Amino acid sequence: MAKPKAENDPEKRIEALKRHAEELCSGQMEVASLDDCSAETEEAFWKHVVDYEEAPWTTHCQQLETAGVSLPPPDSLKDEELTAKLWEVIQKLALLHVVIEQTDHLSDRELYAHLWTDSLREETKALALAANSAYHIQLLGGCSEEDIELHMKHYADEENRRHWLEQFPDYEMLAHEDPPFAREERLPRSEY
């Protein structure tokens, strides 16, 4: 009986992907088999690792500009222009599978300025995302004291606030306040 070709043998494809991933990572990655998953899942995992390592770096700013969205400096825009530009950016990011979260503590100008100076300029891999996936920009995801305070004050529900105090009993929890702006319910969400 003839041996199956590598392209018809999932184990050989997986081994080839693992070797390629290890080469791309310059030996800085420990390549091992994934326990308790199907060959199909393991192959998809290693394919994603290879795709990630081979993808060039970009920024969301570059992706927006490539998509035809101009990004003028915040100070160059009047309030009405800035709000329109902010929503153009938000909608185009959604088409690129990028969603923004936890924004209601910022005015339109503060949010656009933050995106323009910070979040949109962070490097990311230029990967084609699956229809059911998204890149999340969480404005309070840095775990700084200020981020935690704002999250607990404006976004955390009572259960999360109680759980936080169980973990950190000395934390000085501020009283809940509704955030000063109501944008969150209008923001695009990921499909999953």
Side-chain angles (χ1 to χ4, degrees):
M1 181 174 206
K3 288 186 177 180
K5 294 181 179 180
E7 59 270 1
N8 294 330
D9 184 350
E11 288 181 24
K12 289 185 180 179
R13 289 193 308 267
I14 291 168
E15 288 306 314
L17 286 167
K18 285 180 181 179
R19 280 192 307 279
H20 193 51
E22 193 169 37
E23 290 167 8
L24 290 168
C25 295
S26 304
Q28 296 179 354
M29 170 192 262
E30 184 177 322
V31 177
S33 292
L34 303 178
D35 295 332
D36 298 330
C37 67
S38 68
E40 180 182 6
T41 300
E42 185 171 8
E43 184 175 0
F45 170 81
W46 288 111
K47 172 90 171 81
H48 182 73
V49 169
V50 168
D51 289 347
Y52 178 86
E53 292 298 329
E54 289 182 332
W57 288 98
T58 189
T59 65
H60 295 306
C61 185
Q62 290 169 331
Q63 291 173 325
L64 286 168
E65 288 172 351
T66 299
V69 177
S70 66
L71 294 167
D75 294 343
S76 71
L77 297 169
K78 295 178 184 170
D79 287 344
E80 314 79 49
E81 296 170 324
L82 184 132
T83 295
K85 178 56 67 175
L86 173 63
W87 282 100
E88 178 188 5
V89 167
I90 288 169
Q91 295 301 327
K92 185 57 85 170
L93 285 171
L95 293 174
L96 296 170
H97 296 251
V98 178
V99 293
I100 304 169
E101 300 168 333
Q102 300 172 325
T103 69
D104 285 352
H105 62 288
L106 299 174
S107 68
D108 285 354
R109 184 165 295 281
E110 290 168 328
L111 176 56
Y112 182 79
H114 175 83
L115 293 171
W116 193 87
T117 60
D118 189 339
S119 294
L120 297 180
R121 299 189 188 279
E122 290 179 11
E123 286 196 324
T124 186
K125 288 289 193 155
L127 283 171
L129 294 176
N132 64 348
S133 65
Y135 183 95
H136 295 256
I137 296 176
Q138 291 187 328
L139 276 91
L140 300 180
C143 296
S144 68
E145 286 184 37
E146 182 184 15
D147 285 358
I148 293 168
E149 183 177 292
L150 287 167
H151 176 75
M152 290 297 156
K153 181 178 177 179
H154 295 303
Y155 301 99
D157 61 20
E158 283 308 312
E159 182 180 339
N160 286 327
R161 291 165 57 89
R162 215 174 12 261
H163 181 68
W164 185 263
L165 286 174
E166 288 170 8
Q167 301 260 337
F168 306 99
D170 295 336
Y171 182 76
E172 293 183 32
M173 183 71 70
L174 297 175
H176 172 77
E177 288 182 24
D178 290 336
F181 303 96
R183 176 187 312 106
E184 205 71 19
E185 69 268 0
R186 295 179 291 144
L187 290 176
R189 297 277 178 227
S190 58
E191 298 283 324
Y192 60 93

